[in-house]
Amino acid sequence: MQIENNVDLRPFNTFGLPIKAATLIHIRREADIHQVLAHPEYGRAPKFILGGGSNIVPTCDLQSVVLKIEIMGRHMVQATDQAWIVEAGAGENWPDLVAWTLENDFPGLENLALIPGTAGAAPIQNIGAYGIELKDRFLSLDAVDLKTGRSFSLAAEQCGFDYRDSIFKRNLSGRCMITRVRLHLPKNWKPVLDYPDLQRLRQDSGAARPCARQVYEWVCALRRAKLPDPAMLGNAGSFFKNPIVNNKQHAAILACAPDMVSYPLPGGGFKLSAGWMIEACGWKGRRIGNVGVYARQALVLINHGGASIQELMALAAAIQDSVHQRFGIRLELEPTLI
Ligand code: EPU
């Protein structure tokens, strides 16, 4: 295993914050984890697991041992009557994995194209976009318990998936390192085109039954039009979650804000558009110092270059306060603060 000290984490967090890690260990095989756990110095030290750094906001230099997950490999491991089962090492880049499945004619991940991050991080926040969440395509994962060193597997129903949430953000937070994930890609594939912009693109194209590659191209075009590329402009995707409210709260907000964008949930209640609320408070496109709100999607906060964590948190708090004052809703942060 490769160990580095005093590492600049700027390239490893997509917001590009100037943070350092006292110790960073590259984990390329499961055996590296066991070696770390048996290490006289690092074995008992607090640990932080780093994937693609696309959904974290480091708030200070990290004194814990940072384990950077770099376990690679992607294979179709089984073809059942219903599905192709694809397995990926946790360090695989998610957008590359999605592209690879489509090149190999395993459809099903096209709506999740271009989401920055690693395959191993995808279950943690149950990544989702354009009408699909990871849980809809997830079969199981392998992980190592960082306290006991025990290897174990979890099936989808054991992961407690919810909107941008899973057991890995709750009971198992910081407790285990995901090493491999397995996805279940349906053979009787049907396009998922409920998202209004996808419906519009389908209508414009005149395609009666678009193929998965076509849907992939549409999703890539939509993302490129609405969301900044972290390689060009530092960001961590949506900085806030879309809040979920009950029917009574929804009716009360709608009475004051009749144009509010919201979506009814299957089990009752509504998901409100945080982007709409932030825009309604006048934040879209605003810049304060080196940080700002993206001009094409108000949910995304951006680093114009040289941003500090203090500037970022001050902007996030100011947005939360104005949304709270106007709509009575306190927005929750979507990335994990570390
Ligand atoms: N809207 C505005 N102003 C904005 C942004 C959105 O009015 O600045 C309203 C519009 O009515 C728009 C609607 O909200 O039509 C929905 O916007 P969008 O399709 O961009 O979706 P979102 O709810 O803002 C969520 C995810 C995104 C994901 C998109 C598409 C969360 C926190 N965010 O955003 O995920 O790409 O849906 O499925 O759920 C991410 O998690 O990092 C992320 C980018």
Side-chain angles (χ1 to χ4, degrees), residues 125 128-131 163-164 195 223 226-227 236-238 240-242 261 263 271 273 275-276 279 284 296-300 334:
Q125 60 146 340
Y130 308 106
Y163 168 59
R164 295 294 191 275
Y195 183 83
R223 283 193 80 92
K226 281 193 182 186
L227 297 167
S238 299
F240 303 98
K241 289 187 196 177
N242 284 329
V261 176
Y263 314 93
K271 194 188 268 184
S273 165
W276 184 91
E279 183 173 350
K284 196 170 184 173
R296 287 187 247 154
Q297 164 52 288
L299 264 188
V300 179
E334 204 260 2

Side-chain angles (χ1 to χ4, degrees), residues 145-168:
D145 186 322
L146 294 179
K147 270 212 175 120
T148 63
R150 194 177 60 92
S151 300
F152 63 97
S153 301
L154 290 181
E157 59 277 14
Q158 295 172 294
C159 292
F161 289 129
D162 208 338
Y163 168 59
R164 295 294 191 275
D165 199 21
S166 74
I167 192 169
F168 306 104

